[in-house]
Amino acid sequence: QVHFVESGGGLVQPGGSLRLSCAASGSIFSIPAMGWYRQAPGKQRVLVAMITSGDSTRYADSVLGRFTISRDNAKNTVYLQMNDLDPEDTDAYYCNAGVLFQAGGPTDSYWGQGTQVTVSS
């Protein structure tokens, strides 16, 4: 069972940048796709970026062109580079296996505590 620890969040001004990291407790080689999710209070988690083991990527329309997901298998780490941040990006961010057809993300694996991103002037 792989566990994930997210880090890198914080307070940033609109238009600024952050890079989030997701450290896995085990190998991610066998995971077909990894994803970054975000969740606002009282709302369901939504997938914003996904990367496959072959490094193909998909993004939600809301972040397309601003966010970039990448992975380093040797370090068992997934990253999310966030540029041109907007106050609407303010959310808790989580990583897990990337799935497209399961609302809210995986239900058969553990979620970390996430990392808070706050975009405000």
Side-chain angles (χ1 to χ4, degrees):
Q1 182 69 48
V2 178
H3 296 79
F4 306 101
V5 178
E6 301 91 347
S7 63
L11 176 64
V12 64
Q13 295 187 158
S17 298
L18 285 172
R19 189 177 79 155
L20 307 184
S21 297
C22 169
S25 63
S27 175
I28 61 173
F29 292 165
S30 63
I31 302 177
M34 290 293 299
W36 279 96
Y37 301 78
R38 65 186 184 187
Q39 184 177 33
K43 296 184 178 180
Q44 192 173 52
R45 274 186 296 266
V46 297
L47 180 68
V48 297
M50 186 174 72
I51 184 168
T52 70
S53 59
D55 288 336
S56 64
T57 58
R58 293 176 63 91
Y59 299 93
D61 289 343
S62 58
V63 307
L64 184 64
R66 299 187 298 118
F67 290 11
T68 303
I69 187 172
S70 61
R71 64 193 296 167
D72 186 337
N73 291 335
K75 296 181 178 180
N76 291 321
T77 302
V78 183
Y79 303 97
L80 185 68
Q81 178 67 46
M82 305 184 295
N83 298 324
D84 194 24
L85 284 162
D86 186 273
E88 293 185 356
D89 297 316
T90 296
D91 276 316
Y93 285 73
Y94 303 84
C95 71
N96 210 316
V99 295
L100 293 175
F101 306 110
Q102 190 169 2
T107 58
D108 58 350
S109 61
Y110 293 110
W111 292 90
Q113 291 186 317
T115 186
Q116 179 67 39
V117 171
T118 302
V119 185
S120 177
S121 60

